[in-house]
Amino acid sequence: MPTVEVVDLKDGDFLLDVREDEEWQAGHAAGALHIPMSEFVARYGEFTGTAPQDGRVNVICRSGARSAQVTNYLVQQGIDAVNVAGGMQVWEAAGRPVVTDEGAPGFVA
């Protein structure tokens, strides 16, 4: 499965967060698109309407397991998607910002 390390992501790279609502509300990467894995197929049109048409989709969850499943699904659909290794746990540990919807500092739940 295609994978990317957190340290290789640049500001402005498209990030799809597939964690559940409670996890997202505790803290997430600013600018990420949030569609929980449990709702992903039903909300696929929302994803395709937002995702870059000619760019890579970086998929993230808490640890990398759920995002791996979504990445596999997207690759099967012909989308250039990669799993973010280690997920939001590694994101936070690398010192990347984690925020709430209000822009306050958040945490990875």
Side-chain angles (χ1 to χ4, degrees):
M1 168 192 347
T3 303
V4 65
E5 300 294 327
V6 167
V7 296
D8 295 325
L9 293 173
K10 298 172 188 63
D11 289 343
D13 283 351
F14 185 82
L15 191 64
L16 171 64
D17 189 324
V18 298
R19 295 175 303 145
E20 295 303 313
D21 288 336
E22 305 80 39
E23 295 171 288
W24 170 267
Q25 291 166 2
H28 54 269
L33 172 64
H34 177 231
I35 302 178
M37 185 176 112
S38 62
E39 301 173 14
F40 192 76
V41 173
R43 293 175 59 186
Y44 188 72
E46 181 181 336
F47 163 76
T48 58
T50 307
Q53 300 303 308
D54 58 354
R56 185 172 72 183
V57 175
N58 302 286
V59 188
I60 199 165
C61 66
R62 183 174 188 269
S63 65
R66 289 172 285 179
S67 53
Q69 293 177 50
V70 173
T71 298
N72 281 333
Y73 175 79
L74 292 173
V75 168
Q76 290 172 358
Q77 307 309 309
I79 294 171
D80 180 11
V82 295
N83 186 34
V84 178
M88 287 297 296
Q89 290 176 321
V90 171
W91 178 278
E92 184 177 48
R96 296 282 184 112
V98 177
V99 298
T100 66
D101 283 339
E102 294 77 30
F107 64 95
V108 177

